[in-house]
Amino acid sequence: MQLHDVWFVLIAVLWTGYFFLEGFDFGVGVLTKLLARDRTEKRVLINTIGPVWDGNEVWLLTAGGATFAAFPDWYATLFSGFYLPLLLILVCLIIRGVAFEYRHKRPEDRWQRNWEHAIFWTSLIPAFLWGVAFANIVRGVAIDRNKEYVGGFLDLLNGYALLGGLVTLTLFTFHGAVFVSLKTVGEIRERSRKLAGRLGLLTALLAVVFLTWTQVSRGDGGSLIAMAVAVLALLGALGCNRAGREGWSFALSGITIAAAVAMLFLTLFPNVMPSSLDDAWSLTVTNASSSPYTLKIMTWCAAVATPLVLLYQAWTYWVFRKRIGTQHIADAH
């Protein structure tokens, strides 16, 4: 295995980590409208992710930076061709971070309500658009012989991509509901478990259709195994949720996300962005990568920094591991 293959795998791992962690972040944000009945319960939901949401976004920055350094042609084509959806995701992430920090700065009902609306929409929109983006990458887009995207924005809004967006939206929301049931006590915990059961069934239906479509169009033996793991893990998460085993349910929903992402990257390899115009114009791990020397330096840096980041983030989750409920929320001033 050459270094450009290694970095393709590492970038897949980074995206897996991002969707696993930021996935339940987005899900909790969506649940502030679907699950919470009053402002106190919304504060409970926000507090479950309050200590970790910004750390989860580090995985996105690392994935983007690694793509830029290891596969500059992939990065350039992706960010120019998907400019509008990626810009919308970026704006949502900025507003979302501001909403978390500014919501409690003033006591007026209108002020807090507007920021709560912002948290909901800036969680829902990226959760949907990430699925649209990755589905288009797997499906193939209009790339010419100069490695440039020559399609339009509406070309990205095809049936396969829109279904991919619905899958990530429902899967992340299910993942978030399981996380809430793992992190809360009392009535909100029970309601989140019931909602997770309903969301899980919808997610399973959409995911099976999307993954089957992917397997039939571009899959092989490896992607079929990943698909089977994703489906079985999702069914297991539903069963554990029904049995009240929130920890196992959360772990299995995370495995579902990891296996689904693995399936998408397995269907891509050795391409990184297939061309729908001509297979010879596709971007691959070979023609889109940096020099071997650059990849070698990156590998040494990653070998040193990655364990430190993982240890710090694991410690953060350990410190904030306890459950919370409405009784832990102080009266608003």
Side-chain angles (χ1 to χ4, degrees), residues 197-229:
R198 296 193 294 269
L199 287 170
L201 293 175
L202 176 60
T203 301
L205 175 62
L206 294 174
V208 167
V209 175
F210 176 75
L211 296 179
T212 302
W213 191 344
T214 304
Q215 178 64 28
V216 170
S217 60
R218 288 190 172 271
D220 56 16
S223 61
L224 181 61
I225 294 174
M227 174 183 170
V229 172

Side-chain angles (χ1 to χ4, degrees), residues 34-280:
L34 302 183
L35 181 63
R37 292 178 175 175
D38 54 36
R39 180 140 298 144
T40 301
E41 291 191 351
K42 289 181 180 179
R43 291 174 65 189
V44 171
L45 294 181
I46 293 172
N47 285 354
T48 61
I49 60 173
V52 298
W53 69 266
D54 49 353
N56 294 344
E57 292 186 355
V58 171
W59 288 80
L60 172 62
L61 300 176
T62 309
T67 304
F68 171 78
F71 300 99
D73 288 333
W74 182 13
Y75 181 92
T77 304
L78 175 64
F79 278 77
S80 59
F82 292 20
Y83 181 81
L84 285 178
L86 292 179
L87 177 62
L88 183 55
I89 289 173
L90 177 61
V91 170
C92 285
L93 294 180
I94 293 172
I95 296 175
R96 188 168 179 264
V98 173
F100 282 134
E101 299 298 331
Y102 274 51
R103 177 190 163 276
H104 64 282
K105 296 298 184 182
R106 290 171 55 179
E108 292 88 346
D109 181 73
R110 182 178 179 182
W111 171 273
Q112 296 191 3
R113 185 173 62 251
N114 287 340
W115 286 120
E116 288 163 1
H117 290 323
I119 291 172
F120 171 76
W121 287 109
T122 57
S123 298
L124 184 148
I125 293 172
F128 175 76
L129 289 180
W130 279 126
V132 173
F134 269 83
N136 273 299
I137 292 173
V138 172
R139 176 178 178 267
V141 292
I143 300 174
D144 65 11
R145 65 174 69 248
N146 298 316
K147 302 179 181 178
E148 294 181 0
Y149 177 72
V150 294
F153 174 71
L154 294 180
D155 295 330
L156 303 177
L157 303 179
N158 53 81
Y160 176 75
L162 294 175
L163 176 59
L166 291 176
V167 170
T168 53
L169 175 58
T170 54
L171 179 56
F172 290 168
T173 308
F174 168 71
H175 194 42
V178 175
F179 178 77
V180 170
S181 66
L182 177 65
K183 288 288 293 179
T184 58
V185 294
E187 183 185 355
I188 194 169
R189 174 189 178 189
E190 297 302 320
R191 294 207 317 272
S192 64
R193 280 179 51 199
K194 292 179 181 178
L195 181 59
R198 296 193 294 269
L199 287 170
L201 293 175
L202 176 60
T203 301
L205 175 62
L206 294 174
V208 167
V209 175
F210 176 75
L211 296 179
T212 302
W213 191 344
T214 304
Q215 178 64 28
V216 170
S217 60
R218 288 190 172 271
D220 56 16
S223 61
L224 181 61
I225 294 174
M227 174 183 170
V229 172
V231 173
L232 291 175
L234 181 56
L235 295 177
L238 278 168
C240 290
N241 176 74
R242 185 179 181 85
R245 303 295 297 273
E246 292 99 342
W248 281 103
S249 182
F250 181 70
L252 288 169
S253 66
I255 291 174
T256 301
I257 293 173
V261 175
M263 179 186 179
L264 296 183
F265 275 88
L266 285 169
T267 58
L268 271 179
F269 188 82
N271 295 322
V272 292
M273 279 192 79
S275 172
S276 59
L277 302 179
D278 190 327
D279 285 340

